[in-house]
Amino acid sequence: MINSILKRWSFNSGFIVILLFAFSGNVDSQNSLLTDSSRFKKFLPDYVKFQYAGGIGFISTGAGYTFFNDKLDISFFYSYIPHMISEDDLHSVSLQFTSKLLQYKISESIEILPLNLGFFIHHTFGNKYWIRQPAHYPDKYYWWSPGRNAGLFTGGEIKTKLLSGKTPASGTAFYFRIGSRILYLASIVGNDEIPFREVIELGFGVAIYR
């Protein structure tokens, strides 16, 4: 039942977040539905994201908020891995924090952010991805759980004015990220048999800003 709901949500999630943006752009004209549009708008996400790979799933959709003059992003992602590239359909969620340390405005329409650092917590759904160690394992047999993990990443971003003016969006950004899970990093310490490249996860994405 849960997997069925998640599959339907994964199909429509991208359309839902886009509709939120579209609605936010016309919210001032919805006086019959909202008596205080400004109060409603402040709760809407500052951006939506669509990401490929990056250690959180094959395809991910997310939304989030910016703080401290766009120096910090807090994002929530829903991710999906189809059974074609895994043992089963996998659904997961991630909470991510991204610090944007450097920002360079190249022109009125282009801004480059060459050094973003981030941390994420990732949870995978499914019986095989437990959080609390099952009773049939000896006590403290595993020091980690396959269902929940955390990781670090770094990357860069290019912000543009693409989609601004003709749509409710203020701009579009393209980003990449290189990271790894803390479990993977811990596994290679003192282990020369695991090449560093095998624990690295590369991802690409696009963000649409409100």
Side-chain angles (χ1 to χ4, degrees):
M1 179 66 178
I2 293 177
N3 279 341
S4 176
I5 294 173
L6 287 171
K7 287 178 181 178
R8 289 197 297 270
W9 193 90
S10 66
F11 180 79
N12 294 307
S13 59
F15 298 101
I16 292 173
V17 291
I18 290 175
L19 286 175
L20 280 173
F21 266 43
F23 183 74
S24 69
N26 297 303
V27 70
D28 290 332
S29 63
Q30 309 298 323
N31 293 327
S32 61
L33 299 177
L34 300 169
T35 58
D36 190 348
S37 61
S38 61
R39 180 177 299 178
F40 176 77
K41 287 179 65 176
K42 72 179 181 180
F43 292 108
L44 290 173
D46 293 323
Y47 56 81
V48 294
K49 289 185 177 181
F50 303 89
Q51 181 173 311
Y52 167 72
I56 62 172
F58 180 67
I59 296 294
S60 306
T61 58
Y65 299 89
T66 62
F67 301 92
F68 308 116
N69 295 322
D70 297 333
K71 298 288 187 182
L72 174 68
D73 280 5
I74 299 179
S75 311
F76 178 82
F77 276 93
Y78 166 79
S79 308
Y80 173 66
I81 302 178
H83 70 277
M84 295 179 295
I85 57 177
S86 68
E87 295 181 359
D88 197 1
D89 288 344
L90 297 180
H91 305 270
S92 60
V93 292
S94 301
L95 181 63
Q96 303 188 31
F97 303 85
T98 306
S99 176
K100 302 181 177 182
L101 301 181
L102 301 175
Q103 299 181 5
Y104 298 103
K105 196 171 185 63
I106 304 302
S107 66
E108 289 298 321
S109 59
I110 298 178
E111 185 177 5
I112 296 180
L113 296 82
L115 183 59
N116 295 346
L117 300 178
F119 170 81
F120 68 89
I121 302 172
H122 187 70
H123 176 84
T124 302
F125 298 95
N127 294 331
K128 297 180 181 179
Y129 298 89
W130 43 264
I131 304 301
R132 182 174 299 177
Q133 181 175 284
H136 57 267
Y137 289 111
D139 188 33
K140 298 182 180 179
Y141 186 78
Y142 287 102
W143 62 269
W144 53 274
S145 67
R148 186 172 300 164
N149 54 76
L152 305 170
F153 62 87
T154 184
E157 183 176 350
I158 299 178
K159 284 187 175 182
T160 73
K161 292 297 184 180
L162 184 65
L163 296 183
S164 65
K166 297 182 180 180
T167 69
S170 64
T172 304
F174 303 91
Y175 67 91
F176 75 94
R177 55 184 280 176
I178 302 172
S180 184
R181 304 184 187 193
I182 294 176
L183 171 63
Y184 296 165
L185 296 174
S187 299
I188 66 172
V189 175
N191 188 346
D192 296 333
E193 295 183 0
I194 303 178
F196 185 71
R197 65 178 181 275
E198 292 190 6
V199 302
I200 295 299
E201 298 168 321
L202 179 63
F204 303 91
V206 57
I208 303 174
Y209 286 87
R210 176 161 64 94

